[in-house]
């Protein structure tokens, strides 16, 4: 792989306020890029326009600026990149790798998480009103995650043919993220471990589209006392933006780094300088991190 210039990214979905889990992914990907004198790109993942919250993308960007993040180049919005996704779809279609799926929501729910391939043999014409699935080969896909270690999946039995364009006409996250990472020249993806099991699908898509495979580094998940993922949907608290130093210090500690206690006050710049200089991925925990929300 061409590693001359490290190029990473942060790719938040604009679905709500900045919370600690989002900050963790931002800090991890930023320091990984900065410590290698690389670039760090900002991509707003608003491909799912039905989940977009008005004003959330701007609020998120302002909040990140308040934390002192500096991204390279213009912010990219998935909602403006439909043409790129359309071209990728065309390539897959030419290779006869996609087919329409007419299964109802209920049918799919009854089947469970692995798509059994009911529509695979039907050979229906590609039509606007149906979801499109990518045919997966019975193939083991594995990769070395920089924190987790080796991870593998057999797509056929653990996932099945997956949706790359939804019934409502929107492109699926899996396709959009793969096209964007490739077109933006991302050579390392740093993100939350909740996306670890999406990675084999993304690698498979990269192979089908002839894209280079980036390196991966998945960061630990924040969970509540009951082990549930902390996120916007579970009511994770929005960060108090008047306390960036405090929150950055906590994020660094959660990522296993050991910022000196005296840097937990006032000087944001000092803390970033310390963090970039001492960033060590060997210290990142592999276990979920329990946060007491009270
Ligand atoms: N947009 C995704 C999220 O906010 C992240 C996708 C990625 O980093 O690949 O959870
Ligand atoms: Zn189907």
């Amino acid at each position: 792989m061409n590693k001359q210039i490290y190029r990473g990214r942060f790719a938040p979905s604009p679905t709500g306020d900045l919370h600690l889990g989002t900050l963790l992914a931002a800090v991890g990907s930023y320091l990984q890029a900065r410590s290698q004198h690389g670039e760090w790109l900002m991509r707003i993942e608003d491909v799912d326009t039905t989940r977009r919250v008005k004003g959330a993308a701007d609020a998120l960007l302002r909040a990140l600026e308040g934390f002192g993040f500096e991204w390279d180049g213009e912010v990219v919005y998935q909602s403006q990149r439909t043409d790129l996704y359309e071209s990728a779809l065309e390539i897959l279609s030419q290779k006869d790798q996609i087919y329409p799926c007419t299964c109802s929501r209920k049918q799919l729910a009854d089947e469970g998480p692995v798509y059994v391939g009911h529509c695979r043999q039907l050979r229906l014409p590609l039509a606007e009103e149906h979801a499109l699935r990518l045919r997966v080969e019975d193939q083991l896909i594995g990769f070395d995650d920089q924190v987790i270690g080796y991870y593998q999946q057999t797509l056929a039995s653990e996932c099945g043919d997956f949706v790359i364009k939804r019934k409502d006409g929107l492109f699926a996250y899996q396709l959009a993220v793969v096209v964007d990472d490739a077109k933006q020249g991302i050579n390392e993806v740093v993100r939350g471990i909740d996306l670890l099991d999406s990675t084999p699908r993304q690698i498979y898509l990269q192979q089908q589209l002839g894209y280079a495979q980036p390196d991966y580094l998945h960061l630990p998940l924040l969970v509540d006392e009951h082990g549930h993922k902390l996120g916007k949907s579970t009511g994770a608290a929005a960060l108090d933006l008047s306390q960036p130093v405090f929150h950055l210090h906590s994020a660094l500690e959660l990522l296993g780094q050991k910022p000196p206690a005296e840097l937990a006050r006032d000087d944001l710049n000092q803390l970033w300088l310390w963090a970039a200089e001492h960033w060590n991925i060997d210290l990142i925990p592999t276990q979920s991190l329990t946060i007491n929300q009270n």
Side-chain angles (χ1 to χ4, degrees):
M1 187 194 309
N2 181 354
K3 273 268 162 161
Q4 282 157 339
I5 272 212
Y6 177 102
R7 191 175 280 157
R9 46 70 158 186
F10 179 51
S13 304
T15 51
D17 294 321
L18 182 63
H19 62 89
L20 194 55
T22 319
L23 182 66
L24 221 59
V27 170
S29 62
Y30 189 61
L31 289 173
Q32 185 63 357
R34 286 292 173 253
S35 64
Q36 305 193 39
H37 309 288
E39 293 178 354
W40 188 68
L41 309 187
M42 179 69 70
R43 177 167 79 231
I44 298 292
E45 299 216 316
D46 57 357
V47 68
D48 184 352
T49 46
T50 62
R51 282 181 65 224
R52 193 161 57 176
V53 173
K54 201 168 180 305
D58 281 341
L60 205 57
L61 293 172
R62 295 299 82 79
L64 291 167
E65 277 172 354
F67 272 91
F69 290 97
E70 291 174 3
W71 47 89
D72 294 291
E74 298 284 312
V75 178
V76 157
Y77 292 82
Q78 286 187 325
S79 55
Q80 296 168 8
R81 295 163 70 83
T82 310
D83 290 355
L84 292 173
Y85 310 144
E86 218 43 90
S87 312
L89 189 70
E90 186 53 34
I91 295 172
L92 298 169
S93 159
Q94 301 270 330
K95 296 173 76 181
D96 193 25
Q97 279 182 300
I98 51 177
Y99 63 87
C101 172
T102 57
C103 296
S104 68
R105 199 174 284 225
K106 168 145 196 335
Q107 253 173 304
L108 295 172
D110 292 347
E111 272 175 21
V114 179
Y115 183 65
V116 297
H118 174 258
C119 298
R120 200 184 230 243
Q121 314 306 337
L122 297 183
R123 299 243 151 231
L124 296 166
L126 298 184
E128 290 291 311
E129 68 273 20
H130 300 136
L132 298 178
R133 286 185 188 271
L134 181 74
R135 227 180 271 284
V136 299
E137 302 304 326
D138 194 3
Q139 178 184 337
L140 189 65
I141 297 205
F143 66 100
D144 260 310
D145 185 275
Q146 308 221 53
V147 168
I148 309 302
Y150 189 71
Y151 180 81
Q152 65 176 37
Q153 241 179 37
T154 303
L155 286 181
S157 58
E158 292 178 69
C159 161
D161 298 342
F162 57 95
V163 172
I164 55 172
K165 192 172 186 185
R166 300 167 13 166
K167 183 179 156 71
D168 61 9
L170 293 174
F171 284 98
Y173 155 71
Q174 305 293 355
L175 182 78
V177 76
V178 164
V179 171
D180 287 334
D181 284 339
K183 298 291 174 197
Q184 294 189 283
I186 302 301
N187 45 29
E188 187 176 79
V189 169
V190 179
R191 60 185 176 190
I193 199 174
D194 50 326
L195 291 164
L196 183 69
D197 70 350
S198 284
T199 308
R201 267 171 283 175
Q202 295 174 12
I203 292 174
Y204 184 75
L205 264 170
Q206 286 153 9
Q207 293 173 353
Q208 303 314 311
L209 290 165
Y211 297 156
Q213 181 180 323
D215 290 339
Y216 288 96
L217 190 164
H218 287 89
L219 300 168
L221 203 62
L222 299 183
V223 297
D224 65 16
E225 320 71 287
H226 311 292
H228 299 136
K229 178 191 169 186
L230 273 190
K232 293 162 259 205
S233 51
T234 47
L239 294 180
D240 173 0
L241 301 179
S242 70
Q243 308 274 349
V245 187
F246 170 78
H247 292 306
L248 176 59
H249 197 274
S250 316
L252 290 166
E253 283 183 328
L254 287 167
L255 290 170
Q257 315 299 304
K258 298 184 171 59
E262 64 271 20
L263 287 184
R265 290 180 297 272
D266 30 272
D267 199 325
L268 194 54
N269 262 333
Q270 284 299 113
L271 185 53
W272 275 124
L273 284 174
W274 182 91
E277 195 175 326
H278 295 87
W279 176 243
N280 180 357
I281 61 171
D282 295 337
L283 299 175
I284 299 173
T286 52
Q287 305 293 320
S288 298
L289 305 165
T290 307
I291 300 290
N292 196 325
Q293 286 220 84
N294 307 312

